[in-house]
Amino acid sequence: MFDTLSDRLTSVLTNLRGKGRLSEADIDATAREIRIALLEADVALPVVRGFIKGVKERAKGSEVSQALNPAQQVVKIVNEELVTILGGETRRLELAKNPPTVIMLAGLQGAGKTTLAGKLAKWLSGQGHTPMLVACDLQRPNAVNQLQVVGERAGVPVFAPEPGNGVGDPVQVSRDGIEEAKRAQHDMVIVDTAGRLGVDEEMMKQAADIRDAVTPDEILFVLDAMVGQDAVATAEAFRDGVGFSGVVLTKLDGDARGGAALSVREVTGQPIMFASSGEKLEDFDVFHPDRMANRILG
Ligand code: GDP
């Protein structure tokens, strides 16, 4: 992901090399090309506008005129502005004062929630936590089973409704799951919820009801970075319908343009906390804005 964006930005910035001083016209031309590169990568327009404004102001300010190597200074400015739109600092999970810490996952069907539940559980186990998974996606026929498989691979127990009890009530399952986690003294609970292929009111209501039942310490909005421009609208719908405290980008191993996902922090105001980049449980990491910016700038 981001290969095209990365190539474009790198070539724009390489063009500045060798210039002793940068004129305003040089900076304007560079800013124009960066703007095109960002827009072509699907970065949302308001985010692009803010980004370009920041780069221009700083590049035309004293920062560059006093610099020994203006081109390097511009690269530094672009890098720092990228880090800013990606959220600046890495945000850690909020832990509950009284365990268990409850993490609820929300997002569209296919975004990668169930897979992420396993990845997060495995990662948390590696950090010394004792997570439990709760299967509240009772919409998709195979979802409970899929979570059980993922839990087994991650070596983490899964709380799920008894088979044969009909569709069941996901809100009740979420409550029972938290009770079970308390009883068995798990210090973290990850609640998987149902998604639909598109945003719909019933799904939002169900997620909001589960939220009210389990009062999560974190609600992670799981976003498929491959979906392109729809990502921003989907994120806004979840922000308004359920609310969330952090974002997880999935499928960063894909070859889509990905810029819409890069806009999610600026558009929703919530930080990108984790990144998923493959189908294996190990393809997962904390999201570091600075590392992502460095990767994009090659
Ligand atoms: P859910 O409907 O939100 O629970 O999504 P799933 O966890 O079932 O994931 C949907 C599909 O995406 C599955 O085939 C996963 O194997 C795949 N998937 C999930 N995360 C990633 C990822 O980071 N990269 C890739 N390439 N595939 C992923």
Side-chain angles (χ1 to χ4, degrees):
M1 188 143 310
F2 311 125
D3 288 353
T4 315
L5 176 62
S6 179
D7 290 350
R8 288 286 298 271
L9 288 181
T10 314
S11 87
V12 171
L13 295 171
T14 308
N15 287 341
L16 291 178
R17 272 202 210 131
K19 284 189 192 275
R21 271 186 83 83
L22 297 183
S23 64
E24 287 220 2
D26 287 331
I27 292 170
D28 286 338
T30 303
R32 242 190 329 270
E33 290 189 44
I34 293 174
R35 179 188 157 87
I36 295 169
L38 294 173
L39 287 174
E40 284 185 353
D42 279 347
V43 178
L45 186 57
V47 179
V48 175
R49 284 204 186 110
F51 186 93
I52 295 300
K53 188 162 172 271
V55 169
K56 266 192 184 172
E57 279 173 5
R58 292 181 57 191
K60 287 182 183 175
S62 57
E63 269 181 71
V64 160
S65 55
Q66 288 169 13
L68 288 174
N69 182 337
Q72 279 173 353
Q73 280 293 327
V74 174
V75 172
K76 183 162 171 279
I77 291 169
V78 171
N79 185 302
E80 286 169 4
E81 291 291 323
L82 265 180
V83 174
T84 301
I85 64 164
L86 294 174
E89 301 279 305
T90 301
R91 215 273 274 137
R92 290 173 180 280
L93 282 171
E94 276 313 322
L95 299 185
K97 284 198 193 75
N98 298 313
T101 296
V102 179
I103 302 171
M104 172 176 158
L105 307 181
L108 293 182
Q109 183 177 321
K113 288 183 298 301
T114 306
T115 312
L116 174 81
K119 291 177 172 186
L120 189 57
K122 185 166 185 224
W123 181 80
L124 288 169
S125 299
Q127 310 267 312
H129 293 288
T130 54
M132 187 185 94
L133 299 172
V134 180
C136 295
D137 180 355
L138 310 184
Q139 220 84 40
R140 201 153 51 89
N142 201 31
V144 171
N145 181 254
Q146 193 192 337
L147 192 72
Q148 281 165 330
V149 171
V150 156
E152 199 161 308
R153 278 201 278 148
V156 167
V158 177
F159 181 87
E162 293 293 322
N165 278 1
V167 175
D169 172 10
V171 179
Q172 189 57 44
V173 172
S174 71
R175 273 198 210 100
D176 293 346
I178 303 296
E179 284 313 310
E180 171 60 18
K182 284 182 186 159
R183 194 198 59 74
Q185 300 199 329
H186 291 282
D187 71 340
M188 301 201 102
V189 188
I190 300 168
V191 181
D192 190 21
T193 65
R196 300 279 167 89
L197 290 174
V199 170
D200 78 46
E201 272 181 36
E202 203 189 322
M203 170 185 69
M204 286 297 176
K205 182 169 182 325
Q206 184 180 97
D209 288 346
I210 292 174
R211 174 199 66 203
D212 294 344
V214 304
T215 50
D217 300 283
E218 296 274 12
I219 302 176
L220 300 182
F221 168 60
V222 182
L223 178 64
D224 176 349
M226 298 279 283
V227 300
Q229 290 184 336
D230 282 351
V232 168
T234 307
E236 285 173 328
F238 273 87
R239 178 196 60 195
D240 299 342
V242 189
F244 53 83
S245 54
V247 179
V248 182
L249 295 183
T250 65
K251 310 193 192 178
L252 287 173
D253 52 315
D255 57 6
R257 291 176 283 196
L262 296 183
S263 317
V264 72
R265 156 69 223 229
E266 281 273 294
V267 171
T268 67
Q270 297 302 342
I272 304 167
M273 293 176 64
F274 297 101
S276 170
S277 56
E279 298 194 59
K280 293 201 295 294
L281 285 184
E282 296 74 32
D283 301 327
F284 171 82
D285 207 350
V286 172
F287 184 82
H288 298 286
D290 52 345
R291 286 190 213 164
M292 181 56 89
N294 287 340
R295 193 175 123 194
I296 291 171
L297 288 183

